[in-house]
Amino acid sequence: ETGVTQSPTHLIKTRGQQVTLRCSSQSGHNTVSWYQQALGQGPQFIFQYYREEENGRGNFPPRFSGLQFPNYSSELNVNALELDDSALYLCASRQGLTDTQYFGPGTRLTVL
Amino acid sequence: TQLLEQSPQFLSIQEGENLTVYCNSSSVFSSLQWYRQEPGEGPVLLVTVVTGGEVKKLKRLTFQFGDARKDSSLHITAAQPGDTGLYLCAGARNYGQNFVFGPGTRLSVLP
């Protein structure tokens, strides 16, 4: 176990709806990154939060947004869900900007 | 276009065989990592390499970072069914930046 937790485990939504996914980072970690992993592919970087500010973003549209809270937990929000948003959403935490990051188990989102 | 390419995409071998999987890029990375991911779970970090030419061993697994820091390999000796999983490489272009993942090599070790 990495100490990184995510909720919910599974989620089913319909096209056009909005979703919020949550991540609790490992104790002492102040950086959280979010990834989208489609079936059969590697994780794709969505964005990263460091000390409550976004400090890196991948090639995802603005309807993907996030927050990091003072306790360094984080949320990923996706508006206007599309069928292609169906994927495993992973968060990873690390201390500062060190190399070693630890992944949570992911949230499996299905958009119908 | 993938920044990181991995080969082979799929590999199915018998228990006890040796194998090597590759991670290649045209870009230079400050650090490169290898992960193993099992179905329904998040990736688990196996190793981080940061120096060109570096070789690291983790029991039956040997990792090598290319001299030019553009490629890496993972060699498994005497594979076991427990090695089955998706092997992902990930690289960071500069210290502190996000990691870019390759598409992975799906390994199946048959008993």
Side-chain angles (χ1 to χ4, degrees), chain B residues 9-48:
Chain B
Q9 188 177 358
F10 298 98
L11 187 57
S12 182
I13 62 172
Q14 293 295 131
E15 182 176 2
E17 292 184 357
N18 301 331
L19 67 112
T20 302
V21 297
Y22 300 92
C23 175
N24 296 289
S25 177
S26 57
S27 300
V28 176
F29 293 97
S30 68
S31 64
L32 194 138
Q33 300 181 323
W34 284 92
Y35 293 82
R36 186 167 76 95
Q37 184 179 24
E38 298 191 34
E41 298 182 10
V44 175
L45 180 65
L46 298 174
V47 77
T48 301

Side-chain angles (χ1 to χ4, degrees), chain A residues 35 37 40-45 48 55-56 88 90 94 97-101 103-106 108, chain B residues 2 31 33 35 37 40-43 45 48 50 86 88 95-99 101-104 106:
Chain A
Y35 295 83
Q37 186 176 24
Q41 298 182 21
Q44 298 293 311
F45 174 71
Q48 174 175 286
N55 81 330
L88 181 68
L90 297 161
R94 51 180 166 157
L97 300 177
T98 57
D99 286 333
T100 303
Q101 58 180 349
F103 280 86
R108 172 72 60 189
Chain B
Q2 290 272 0
S31 64
Q33 300 181 323
Y35 293 82
Q37 184 179 24
E41 298 182 10
L45 180 65
T48 301
V50 299
L86 179 67
L88 296 158
Y95 179 78
Q97 284 190 341
N98 61 280
F99 286 87
F101 280 79
R106 189 162 298 281

